[in-house]
Amino acid sequence: MSLRPTLETRQAIPTMEGAGVHLHRAFGFHEPSQLDPFLLFDDFRNENPEDYAQGFPWHPHRGIETITYVLSGTVDHMDSLGNEGSLDAGGVQWMTAGSGILHQEMPKGNADGQMHGFQLWANLPSDLKMTAPRYQDMKGSDIPEILEDDGTRVKVIIGDFWGKTGPIDGIAADPQYLDIYVPPGVKKTFPVDTYRRAFAYVFEGAGAFADASNPTGVLLEKEVAGQEVNIRDMSGNRTLVRFGTGDEVTVQAGPEGIRFLLISGAPIQEPVAWHGPIVMNTGEELQQAFKELRNGTFIKPAH
């Protein structure tokens, strides 16, 4: 087994999308080859309804798939295929935009006004850019959970892991999407397919991801003004960790434990022409998509 090195850690950046939704973007719109086949990852977490209530009104997509995972609150959705529903806490929605879809996503907080979820964009290869749009919703109760003797919990949202299979399938990027909690002080290693690009996104607690400079993943500490503080390889709230090649990831949980998403997928390695919600392979294809959006031929008839 070979340890995946940590290539980069960075904080998600506050931004605004839709009709004024405040969120944090871990990556997107810059250097799409870094995490190919993934294009964008947003963390929409808020306790103030004024910062998310206007949601994401009707907008188009083409050439991508989106995976939305809700932790708190709900997301009501409608699309140009005539589908509508509500994605509850713990649930996942996978949408293939393919040749073109119009949809809206309207978040609602829980009883305390809290709203929290993630959206991941996965690219489609050129031969599937114009495939028929489709989507599926899965309830939280449909997602298998693994509980280890040491208290580690893994929700298998997409892919196969430790004998469990996630309920979402058919995504072109063939991703593995795991929601992992490691208890305080526990060190844990997770296998990741060697041929996939991989990243972690920490959203609760903190921990140390092992790499060449710290192969044990041990939390390194020093005293500053009489207080012990973690100074190296600490990944905390809203931190993206981008890994190099290898077939396993090791994390040492901090004093509060750590919860993170571990996501990997097979790279497509094709040119990316991207503007807003539409991702194609060439500038000409991108121009054609926006021309069709203007003249009303963006949505293709079902075959």
Side-chain angles (χ1 to χ4, degrees):
M1 301 293 283
S2 60
L3 181 68
R4 280 183 176 253
T6 300
L7 298 181
E8 177 187 20
T9 60
R10 65 173 182 256
Q11 291 294 113
I13 298 172
T15 188
M16 193 177 295
E17 283 292 352
V21 177
H22 294 252
L23 51 82
H24 284 71
R25 178 157 294 154
F27 63 87
F29 294 102
H30 301 291
E31 299 187 47
S33 62
Q34 279 191 347
L35 284 165
D36 178 20
F38 306 116
L39 298 164
L40 176 146
F41 182 85
D42 284 343
D43 176 350
F44 48 98
R45 181 188 332 186
N46 218 302
E47 296 183 358
N48 181 5
E50 292 182 1
D51 290 339
Y52 62 77
Q54 298 304 309
F56 306 91
W58 290 98
H59 59 280
H61 285 292
R62 175 178 286 181
I64 64 170
E65 299 186 278
T66 66
I67 302 100
T68 305
Y69 177 35
V70 175
L71 295 183
S72 301
T74 61
V75 177
D76 294 335
H77 61 86
M78 298 177 64
D79 65 37
S80 52
L81 300 176
N83 300 308
E84 60 180 285
S86 184
L87 192 61
D88 296 324
V92 180
Q93 183 193 82
W94 155 53
M95 183 193 73
T96 301
S99 61
I101 198 168
L102 295 170
H103 76 155
Q104 68 170 1
E105 300 160 298
M106 307 303 287
K108 294 181 180 178
N110 61 17
D112 297 321
Q114 297 169 332
M115 177 68 219
H116 190 190
F118 308 102
Q119 187 167 92
L120 175 69
W121 291 14
N123 201 5
L124 280 169
S126 56
D127 60 344
L128 293 176
K129 287 286 187 189
M130 298 299 287
T131 193
R134 54 190 174 138
Y135 91 107
Q136 60 178 307
D137 284 348
M138 291 292 172
K139 296 182 180 298
S141 57
D142 295 326
I143 298 172
E145 184 172 27
I146 301 164
L147 180 60
E148 296 276 275
D149 291 342
D150 60 10
T152 297
R153 296 195 308 267
V154 181
K155 293 183 178 181
V156 185
I157 297 168
I158 304 171
D160 297 318
F161 189 77
W162 285 349
K164 299 288 186 179
T165 300
I168 302 288
D169 60 9
I171 300 177
D174 189 26
Q176 186 180 68
Y177 191 130
L178 309 173
D179 176 351
I180 297 173
Y181 168 74
V182 180
V186 172
K187 180 181 175 183
K188 201 74 176 179
T189 296
F190 303 94
V192 181
D193 188 286
T194 307
Y195 300 102
R196 295 167 178 260
R197 298 269 170 80
F199 71 91
Y201 183 75
V202 181
F203 61 96
E204 288 180 12
F209 287 89
D211 64 13
S213 64
N214 181 10
T216 64
V218 172
L219 302 177
L220 306 178
E221 299 181 342
K222 71 174 182 179
E223 278 201 4
V224 177
Q227 293 184 333
E228 283 192 346
V229 294
N230 299 313
I231 61 168
R232 189 177 180 86
D233 297 322
M234 281 298 291
S235 300
N237 192 17
R238 294 195 177 104
T239 300
L240 173 76
V241 183
R242 186 164 64 91
F243 300 108
T245 57
D247 52 20
E248 63 182 21
V249 168
T250 295
V251 63
Q252 168 76 55
E256 297 178 356
I258 184 171
R259 188 176 178 189
F260 61 97
L261 303 178
L262 181 59
I263 299 174
S264 62
I268 295 172
Q269 298 180 315
E270 291 182 353
V272 173
W274 183 0
H275 184 74
I278 298 175
V279 183
M280 304 303 290
N281 291 106
T282 68
E284 291 78 10
E285 291 171 341
L286 199 59
Q287 292 174 9
Q288 180 66 25
F290 280 97
K291 179 181 178 181
E292 292 176 4
L293 195 58
R294 290 191 298 270
N295 66 22
T297 60
F298 184 78
I299 304 300
K300 306 302 180 186
H303 296 296

